[in-house]
Amino acid sequence: MSHEFVTAHIDHFRAQLFDLLRIPSVSTSPQHTADVRRAAEWLAADLRRIGMTRVEIMPTEGHPIIYAEWLGAGTHAKTVLIYGHYDVQPAAKADGWHTEPFEPIEKDGAIYARGSSDDKGQVFAHIKAAEALLANGGQSPVNLKFLIEGEEEVGSTHLGDFITANREMLRADVCVISDSGMPTADQPAIVYGLRGIVGMQVDVYGPAQDLHSGTYGGAVHNPAQALAEIIAKLHNPDGSVAVPGFYDDVLPLSETERAELRQSALDEAIWLAQVGAPQPWGEAQYAIHERTGARPTLEINGMAGGFIETGMKGVLPARAFAKISCRLVADQQPDRILQHVRDHILNLAPPTVRVEVTPLSSGSGPAFVDIQTPAMQASIEAYAQGWGKRPVFMREGGSIPVVTDFQQELGLPVILMGFGLNNDGAHGPNEHFVTEMFRKGIHTALYFYEAVGKGRN
Ligand code: BES
Ligand code: ZN
């Protein structure tokens, strides 16, 4: 019944998703604060319309959190907590988009818009699955709770405290998150490991103000050069991170795990074509999918200083800076890694400039989910039904900070049931969500609730 409802309404669901995608809910940009709020209100209205009984937009010191529940399955039934985020990364046409990022269009079987895959489209698939269940005369086999936040892309700043303060409200039997991808459209994959992240900014100060590079160049250490010299010493020639202590807490990969991970590995040529770089790079003793999923990294996210506009300017800049982040694997902890990297950078700093290292967020630790739980069985079954193929298990290089909070604060098993594809262009230009993945995602979410409802959790 519910599945037929989805089939009958899929065109309407897509039109609704387009409306949500038109709202530029960019959490990092203060000028979009009202848009972020508008996206929350849009979703709350839809959650009310589909029959969720309690729907609230709950304030935080940052962007609001949406909470919605339907407990009509009764106190003896299982409760599924669905987490997602309605905030998106920044996007501008000038970044290389073929069309406006907040004017969704469907092209070649995919929906193009910022947030289509990460994460509006994926979380919306769950809302539409819930709609299908509730439309069926309230016959849902499970109780449903939605927790949809507006700050995931900026590190889920206020969500940890929110969860601690609302433990009772969020009580559930399982938490499901669809905010990840699979390597190919016909091979479903369940993510069992995510990397953690910690970010920092390095500021290098030289002379008191910008100088004439002819008058002073050669006798003043150029901060942009000093920064480049420091950055050049953060990696070893073999691609590993040169920060002392960086690998101290890294757990080795077992042969069994390596064998399992190989099953979801993309062919190198296909991977390279997707990436568009001349060659792969990194730790040669690890396969590419191990480098991105199971090894820690130190990445320069951006660097700037001096004159970067068109034309030429003979200037010796007063300041240069870089933003750096590290992706972490078990058992690395964000604060320790931050300390190691900061110590190393300050050690490398020459006395000719002044160097400051400032954390950019509190960071989040790596997350692992237990693959031996009944909830995981339910999700394997759901994918097998939705995709007609048994899922493989994989590790992902991205981070979802709240996963460890759900596990530690709420004691919940977490299922990372992504409906996206790794090459959806998340965070980059021309982000898209394959329409067929949206449709299958809704059915798979339904199969998951049905399997959990049968008590197999
Ligand atoms: N959807 C991603 C997380 C993700 C990325 C999962 C790739 C699996 C594969 C999420 O929206 C995201 O981008 N998270 C941020 C978190 C950060 C700001 C703390 C990330 O990974 O950079
Ligand atoms: Zn993201």
Side-chain angles (χ1 to χ4, degrees), residues 118 152-153 427:
D118 182 9
E152 197 275 346
E153 298 292 7
H427 295 204

Side-chain angles (χ1 to χ4, degrees), residues 85 87-89 117-119 152-154 179 399-400 426-427 431:
H85 63 94
D87 64 321
V88 301
Q89 289 276 328
S117 170
D118 182 9
D119 176 43
E152 197 275 346
E153 298 292 7
V154 287
D179 188 22
S399 313
I400 304 177
H427 295 204
E431 177 179 350

Side-chain angles (χ1 to χ4, degrees), residues 226-278:
L227 176 63
E229 286 159 358
I230 291 170
I231 285 179
K233 291 185 190 125
L234 298 180
H235 289 90
N236 296 310
D238 66 2
S240 62
V241 176
V243 174
F246 189 78
Y247 293 99
D248 281 0
D249 297 323
V250 174
L251 301 179
L253 263 179
S254 73
E255 276 314 313
T256 339
E257 201 175 351
R258 293 185 94 168
E260 168 79 36
L261 288 173
R262 263 193 291 276
Q263 292 189 49
S264 60
L266 268 191
D267 177 73
E268 183 174 316
I270 298 176
W271 179 87
L272 198 59
Q274 285 181 3
V275 171

Side-chain angles (χ1 to χ4, degrees), residues 200 243 333-344:
M200 68 208 83
V243 174
Q333 288 313 317
D335 47 350
R336 285 197 54 167
I337 296 300
L338 175 67
Q339 197 60 48
H340 286 316
V341 178
R342 172 198 261 160
D343 288 352
H344 186 55

Side-chain angles (χ1 to χ4, degrees), residues 1 11 47 103 284 342 372 423:
M1 225 342 232
D11 290 342
L47 287 159
E103 287 174 19
R342 172 198 261 160
Q372 305 295 351
N423 65 339

